[in-house]
Amino acid sequence: MVTRTALTGLSGFMSLTTLTLATPAGSLSPLEWGGGPLTADALPRVTYTAHRGGALEVPENSMSGLVAAYERGTAQVIDVDTRILRDGTLVAMHDATLDRTTTSKGPVRSLTLRQWRQVRLRPGAGLPGSWRAERPPTVAEVLDRFGGRIVLMLEAKDPRSLRRLGSLIRARGLTRSVFVNSNEPGVALRAHRMGLLAQVWRSREQMRTDQPARWAGFVDVLDVDHKARDVDLLRAVNSGIPRVWAHTVTTPDQRDRALRFGCNGVITDAPGLLARTPAKGWPVSPV
């Protein structure tokens, strides 16, 4: 059995509903009733995204961490960072270098796939539970393991990798199941024109001057900084972009503020904590 925790809402208050789905032991079966790939259309009204798998709860961008995030069922979307190797292989890694999260050093882009397979992740000492060193996955491995079973968010850290990333997604029939994320609206526009789900994230500094309504025709998710000013959050929520999710949320209070301002999702390093803590508060009226 796989237990899924879904968010539901009534009169502005949020609550948690537990769904138990019968699946073969040890399998990663699609969650959408009736079979077929799970798509973004099946997401709940308020969506939780496990940032890098939930970086305060699991080793970030690791296969074991992503599997744990999936099996725990506390998020409906799993976020993975992507970078490109020297030989064009796309891999799961946030930083431009190996230094912070692995036992190796040096730039990610200098490696070949053969060299990548020798890299080992170094789990953070403060993570709950026991984690072993492991090889970081390629993006193809992530898509093959989770694609169509849960909605994915892939951030293209290297914009030049977008065409390759799109090819991997299209080849697996996942164009409605994977959000392609970037800090650059121009990259989001390219992703949209390629038939992909486009997401753009913005910092609180960028949000001061952003006019997100201009992006409503090609952005599927606007990913906003939860620390942004009230006026900037409201401008994002009222932009006409259908999904506005706040990053990177780590506490219930941060989540509740984002939801009060009308965000319909959060990107969190602590999906387990948020799922255990019911959200509260009324949305702020638009101005």
Side-chain angles (χ1 to χ4, degrees):
M1 301 289 266
V2 176
T3 300
R4 293 281 151 187
T5 306
L7 289 165
T8 58
L10 179 64
S11 300
F13 290 93
M14 310 310 300
S15 62
L16 296 172
T17 300
T18 300
L19 305 177
T20 302
L21 310 179
T23 62
S27 72
L28 288 173
S29 298
L31 303 182
E32 195 168 23
W33 297 109
L38 183 75
T39 70
D41 295 332
L43 291 175
R45 188 170 70 87
V46 174
T47 302
Y48 281 9
T49 298
H51 182 238
R52 307 179 200 172
L56 288 177
E57 300 174 348
V58 303
E60 66 176 68
N61 291 314
S62 69
M63 187 62 82
S64 62
L66 300 178
V67 168
Y70 175 90
E71 292 182 343
R72 291 171 182 176
T74 52
Q76 297 81 41
V77 179
I78 294 178
D79 162 67
V80 181
D81 298 292
T82 76
R83 289 196 176 272
I84 192 167
L85 302 185
R86 189 175 75 208
D87 61 8
T89 303
L90 294 182
V91 296
M93 178 66 60
H94 176 272
D95 296 0
T97 71
L98 301 166
D99 301 25
R100 179 177 64 88
T101 58
T102 81
T103 57
S104 303
K105 293 186 181 297
V108 174
R109 66 183 178 186
S110 70
L111 302 181
T112 63
L113 176 59
R114 181 176 179 180
Q115 293 168 320
W116 178 256
R117 287 174 172 158
Q118 305 305 312
V119 172
R120 292 296 178 268
L121 292 169
R122 184 177 61 242
L127 289 175
S130 178
W131 304 93
R132 299 195 302 178
E134 63 184 282
R135 175 178 63 82
T138 65
V139 172
E141 289 170 335
V142 171
L143 289 171
D144 289 341
R145 191 72 177 270
F146 302 102
R149 298 174 173 89
I150 190 168
V151 175
L152 294 169
M153 175 194 299
L154 301 183
E155 182 173 352
K157 289 292 188 181
D158 301 296
R160 65 192 176 97
S161 71
L162 183 60
R163 186 165 299 279
R164 174 62 177 157
L165 184 58
S167 295
L168 292 175
I169 293 169
R170 283 195 301 270
R172 291 161 174 79
L174 299 174
T175 56
R176 302 304 301 171
S177 304
V178 179
F179 293 106
V180 176
N181 196 6
S182 173
N183 181 240
E184 302 177 25
V187 174
L189 178 58
R190 286 172 52 203
H192 172 77
R193 287 174 173 169
M194 292 167 62
L196 306 173
L197 292 173
Q199 178 171 346
V200 62
W201 72 267
R202 304 297 281 173
S203 70
R204 61 178 171 178
E205 291 80 12
Q206 291 170 322
M207 289 174 63
R208 287 175 173 267
T209 56
D210 280 346
Q211 297 298 324
R214 298 176 179 175
W215 311 330
F218 61 88
V219 170
D220 296 283
V221 177
L222 178 57
D223 176 352
V224 297
D225 191 335
H226 79 88
K227 296 178 295 228
R229 301 179 304 174
D230 295 358
V231 64
D232 298 333
L233 284 175
L234 285 171
R235 185 165 61 250
V237 166
N238 295 326
S239 64
I241 296 173
R243 295 179 175 92
V244 181
W245 298 348
H247 75 262
T248 301
V249 170
T250 59
T251 70
D253 285 346
Q254 292 169 355
R255 173 203 56 195
D256 294 350
R257 175 177 180 260
L259 296 182
R260 283 197 303 271
F261 275 89
C263 292
N264 50 19
V266 294
I267 300 165
T268 176
D269 284 330
L273 171 64
L274 298 193
R276 294 191 301 270
T277 312
K280 56 187 178 181
W282 292 94
V284 174
S285 298
V287 295

